[in-house]
Structures are given as structure tokens and as C-alpha cells.
Amino acid sequence: MAARKLPVVIVGGLHADARRAAVDRLLAEVPGSVVLHHDLATAAAGTVVRTVRDAGGVRSAGEAPLVNDCACCALREDLVPELERLADAGTVPLAVVELWDSVEPKAMAEVVTAGGLTVTGVITAVDPALVLPYLANGDDLAEGGLAAAATDQRTVADTFARQLEYAPVLAVADSPEADDEDRELLAQLHPTARQVPIGHGGPAGPPSGPAATAPADPSGSAGATPSALVRAAFAGFDVEAAAAAQHPACALLPAEADAHGVSTLVWHRRRPFHPERLYQALEDLTCAAARSRGRFWLADKPDTLLHWDAAGGALCVEGAGPWLASLPDAAWEMVPPVRRAAAALDWHPEHGDRCQHLVFTSPGLDRDGLARLLESCLLTDAEYAAGRDAWKRLPSGFDTLLEV
């Protein structure tokens, strides 16, 4: 399916004031652009409210019925046809999809692309002063009226973390409450993101200066040089590469860092974890940092790549498929090239791509204590020397957790 030429930028984030400021600034700086927004707050009444607006106000509004009692499903069914209508009209230089609070950009970027449209940017709007409070918030989305479906069991913390880490661009509000620690935490959580300032997190007023005359064409040929936010909206986005970057086997995790009271510990080992000792330490490890993630392996499950994902004092551990070292050579052709490349860069002569690669980021991180706790969960020299047949007989606390 040939992609329609309408550029689509997705702007999301739980920080609603910052998100709206970013959206309003795009409307003001790209003449003729429109914003599509689906309000899922009305889902309990059985509908999702769709609004299409431009810099002058609301152009149209309507309702989309729930699909299978799922507000996000209704959004998916309604969004692409609306974008197709705008694309066919041929008069809109940029369509801005403003996601509702808890909707995650990954799913919507994939829906838009699958619908034959071109996603040219994915932006998450952030208020630096709210990063730590949201990462520390282990409440269910439903408790705050933010659930996208009756079955939505996500928390504020894990939803915010995924919104933040998926987007290659962060629209950062100039929050007077934010300090150096807040800004450093944001930088360490997503060090590869391009940060674009958007002013204060309140509603954006009309731009002044060069941005006021920024052309819809980001090349700048028709007027003054576009703002950084406009350039980010048109920069281009690779949905497949973004998905690969989130896979635990090849995710580009943060590097070691320590500044302004915030630290990132990268813990990398080859020896497997003792399943029972690691299970007993899970609570302490989960609470040791505001955010931790990565991949690991257990001695009694040497073929399974396990994904570690913790935020808000809650940990999700799940199987993410096999380690490549456990696959027959013939199966490697079915593995995406990016996965094979990541494994080759970190290959061990005995264990292949099996490893412990966990990253912990937090203000006030007890790096030494955390490292000692992690080391204590590995097999001892004697346990390691006993070999794989003995490892598989070790008691495991993970069978129930992993449902295997």
C-alpha cells in the first residue's frame, strides 16, 4: 500500500498541560495544520468524542462508538479514516494527532502506518518537574480515571515510562518548579532523545519572532527557518526501527551516568542468576531505583530471554522469546537483522548472547549496595561449576510469576 503524502505527527504524554502547549505551538507555527484528538474520558458512557481543530478553533466534532468495550479500539477504528479524509482533501500541510492522556504512541504510530499514512514524527511532551512524581506513581490508571478500557491494568508509572522512552523527541516545558535534578533525571532516562523546548506548560500563545513566519515546508525555503519543534514534526519516523529499539534483546539502554544527584548504574554480567535468590531479592531491587529495565537469564531457564521492566515500585518480568544461542543455525534466518547484530556485538564464547544487562536510574541511587545485592543473586563458584544439568534442578520462584 502506497503511503499517502499527508505528514502525520503524533504528540502524546500524561503531562497534559505540556502536551497541549506543544500541540498549540505546532498549530500556530504551521499554517493550515489541524489537530485530531479523541477524548476517551467519555468511554464510560459508551462513546469516544473526536475533535478536529485548527488554529482558529474547532472545525468538526463527532462521536465514535466503543468497539468491544474498548476506547482505544474505537480510536484505532476512527483515526485512520479521519486522516484519510484529510489526506484526500490535499489542503492540510500537517496533521497533528494529539493522543489522550494514557494512550501510548507506539500503538498509534503502528496503526497510522498500517493505514497507509506517513508518520513524520513522534513527540512526547514532558514537564521535567513531574517526571519523578509520575515515575513513582504506582497507582492503576483506573484510579485516576485514565484507563483506556475496563480491562486496562496499567499503572501511571509504567505507562509514563513507555510514553517517554518510545519517542525520539521530547517536547520539554519550561517549568519554574523544575530543578537541575529533574532535568538530569529526564536526560538519563532517555539520553538519545532530542529535547525541544516549548516554553511554559500552559496554553501556548501566538508565536513571535522567526517562528511566527515559519513555513509549512520545513525546508525553510518559503520564509524564515522553522522552529526546532516544527523540524521535529517533519523529521521522519521509522516505525519498525522504533519497535526494534524497544525489544529487550536489542534495546539501546542508557549508559553509566552520575550528575546532579541522579545516577544510572549499568550492571552487566555473564553468569546466570540463582532463581530462588533473585526471586527473594525482587522487592528490594524493584524499590532501589525510580526506573530499571533490561534483560537477564536464570540458571534453570537457560534458553529464555527474560525482560525486566520496573517503575513506580512495581516490576514486570516476562519471557521475551529465546536467546539466539539456544536456536539452531537454520532458525537464525528468521531473526530480524537488528537482533542478530545486537547479539554479535555482545557474543560470549560459552554463553552466546545470554547475559545480565540491567540498568537502574534514580536520584539518590545506592550504587554500591545495589551492585552487592545483584552480585549475591548470581550462582556461586561452586554452583556454577556444577554445570547446566544441576542448574535446571535448582528451586525456582519464577514459575508462577512467568506462568510457565
Side-chain angles (χ1 to χ4, degrees), residues 126-131 172-184 186:
V126 181
D127 181 337
L130 298 179
V131 171
V172 182
D174 182 14
S175 173
E177 290 81 17
D179 57 20
D180 289 343
E181 181 180 283
D182 296 323
R183 287 183 281 270
E184 181 64 26
L186 181 60

Side-chain angles (χ1 to χ4, degrees), residues 197-279:
I198 54 170
H200 294 290
S208 60
T213 57
D217 178 359
S219 68
S221 58
T225 302
S227 69
L229 184 63
V230 172
R231 293 197 301 273
F234 286 94
F237 185 77
D238 188 328
V239 171
E240 291 185 3
Q246 299 301 304
H247 192 285
C250 45
L252 186 61
L253 298 172
E256 285 272 346
D258 189 3
H260 299 294
V262 181
S263 293
T264 294
L265 171 69
V266 177
W267 192 76
H268 191 279
R269 296 292 186 274
R270 288 295 178 179
R271 186 172 293 196
F273 278 123
H274 186 288
E276 188 175 46
R277 287 201 297 274
L278 178 62
Y279 188 81

Side-chain angles (χ1 to χ4, degrees), residues 36 48 85 120 138 143 160 190 219 226 248 274 305 310 368 384 397:
L36 290 83
V48 172
R85 181 180 61 78
T120 56
E143 295 178 35
F160 173 68
H190 195 351
S219 68
H274 186 288
L305 189 160
D368 293 340
Y384 184 77

Side-chain angles (χ1 to χ4, degrees), residues 277-298:
R277 287 201 297 274
L278 178 62
Y279 188 81
Q280 292 171 348
L282 287 182
E283 183 175 355
D284 289 339
L285 291 171
T286 301
C287 296
R291 177 75 173 128
S292 56
R293 49 196 145 147
R295 55 188 179 270
F296 68 102
W297 69 300
L298 299 171

Side-chain angles (χ1 to χ4, degrees), residues 28-52:
E29 296 183 12
V30 184
S33 60
V34 300
V35 174
L36 290 83
H37 178 65
H38 289 76
D39 190 336
L40 275 57
T42 58
T47 59
V48 172
V49 176
R50 177 215 322 119
T51 303
V52 180

